Amino acid sequence: MYGKHPNIETPGNSVKIWRYMDLSKLIALLEYNSLYFCRVDKLGDPFEGSLPKKHTLDFFAGTEDQRKLAIKKLEENGMPVADRSKEALMEYSIVNDMRNNVYVNCWHMNSHESDAMWKLYQKEGEGVAIQSTVSRVKKSFQNTDVGVMIGRVKYLDYEKDEFKDRNLLTFSFAKRISFEHEKEVRLAITYTPKEQYANVDSDKLPKMPNDIKISDDYGLYAKVDVKKLINKISINPIANEWLQAIVTKIIKRYGLSIPVEQSELNKLPLF
């Protein structure tokens, strides 16, 4: 079920979101009634889940001048430097662990289809975009035991910007400003593999939710209600004509009544 997080900005319920995918991923979604969540440090960008420079320098002041300034500030706040060093090491370690324990499913926020997203994620033309809303996503997890968060991604200059809060989960809802065109909304799940509980008795380990299945070392599947999730399916604007017919048959085969439409980008002008 959806859980609101005070440090994560969730868009309004009526906001439209899109997920662009190839046909095989659509079939997997329908077959397993599950969304795939990828571990945040395996998304392809090394900055995913990492700290902006300002936060890193707070942890480990780099130059001698920076160290002196950090020591001065710490002493002004009444914190012994040695204690701060231990705290920094511990917090930095927690950040790295968080990157290994947060799994995300990524969507594009837009009131309409995006030509750029089609070209970015569907170059071959044999794909679809499923359209949903924030409200639909929340409802699709209502009857599951999956704790999911929904948040708008913040785009940062990692050299200059910083987070106003220090909640570690917010680092997983940020990307470099170079990706701002993606207008991303993320669904996130936190899951800690049992291997990380080295000193905890097996009978005291947190129980894996029934509606989460491990896919591989870097991902997991979370159960959803597909009927509630998908508002409509759009066909890639450069796809062959037969693709709409095939997707329509697939949808009916799974007992669903989801509209399957040609891309709005294929519409012709009135004059």
Side-chain angles (χ1 to χ4, degrees), residues 3-177:
K4 184 174 177 58
H5 192 285
N7 301 103
I8 295 171
E9 180 188 354
T10 302
N13 284 333
S14 63
V15 170
K16 288 183 180 179
I17 55 177
W18 304 76
R19 184 161 170 80
Y20 294 79
M21 60 180 66
D22 59 36
L23 189 57
S24 63
K25 290 183 179 178
L26 174 64
I27 293 172
L29 170 61
L30 300 175
E31 178 68 24
Y32 300 115
N33 289 296
S34 299
L35 285 172
Y36 179 77
F37 285 71
C38 180
R39 209 172 80 186
V40 75
D41 65 324
K42 298 299 179 182
L43 289 172
D45 180 7
F47 279 74
E48 288 281 2
S50 68
L51 302 173
K53 185 176 181 180
K54 175 67 168 62
H55 289 281
T56 305
L57 292 178
D58 280 350
F59 289 158
F60 310 105
T63 67
E64 186 62 27
D65 288 339
Q66 289 167 340
R67 278 194 291 274
K68 288 179 181 178
L69 180 60
I71 289 170
K72 182 179 178 182
K73 286 183 177 180
L74 293 170
E75 289 176 342
E76 287 174 355
N77 292 328
M79 182 183 289
V81 176
D83 289 351
R84 173 57 187 169
S85 298
K86 292 177 183 177
E87 179 188 292
L89 285 167
M90 183 176 293
E91 190 167 359
Y92 192 79
S93 174
I94 292 172
V95 169
N96 278 333
D97 285 345
M98 181 65 77
R99 296 182 73 204
N100 296 332
N101 299 336
V102 177
Y103 297 76
V104 298
N105 181 265
C106 306
W107 295 69
H108 170 69
M109 180 174 60
N110 207 324
S111 57
H112 296 84
E113 286 178 50
S114 167
D115 181 62
M117 291 297 107
W118 280 121
K119 290 175 178 175
L120 188 60
Y121 292 103
Q122 291 294 320
K123 295 178 182 177
E124 302 303 320
E126 295 184 4
V128 302
I130 61 174
Q131 188 259 304
S132 187
T133 64
V134 172
S135 176
R136 279 183 170 273
V137 172
K138 291 177 181 178
K139 291 176 181 177
S140 71
F141 284 95
Q142 243 173 9
N143 297 320
T144 73
D145 60 354
V146 179
V148 64
M149 292 159 282
I150 307 171
R152 187 195 309 262
V153 168
K154 294 183 179 180
Y155 296 95
L156 306 175
D157 181 339
Y158 276 71
E159 287 290 314
K160 300 176 181 178
D161 294 338
E162 60 181 301
F163 287 99
K164 293 180 180 179
D165 62 81
R166 296 295 288 269
N167 185 282
L168 298 180
L169 189 59
T170 59
F171 298 136
S172 297
F173 283 85
K175 295 188 75 167
R176 286 187 283 179
I177 202 165

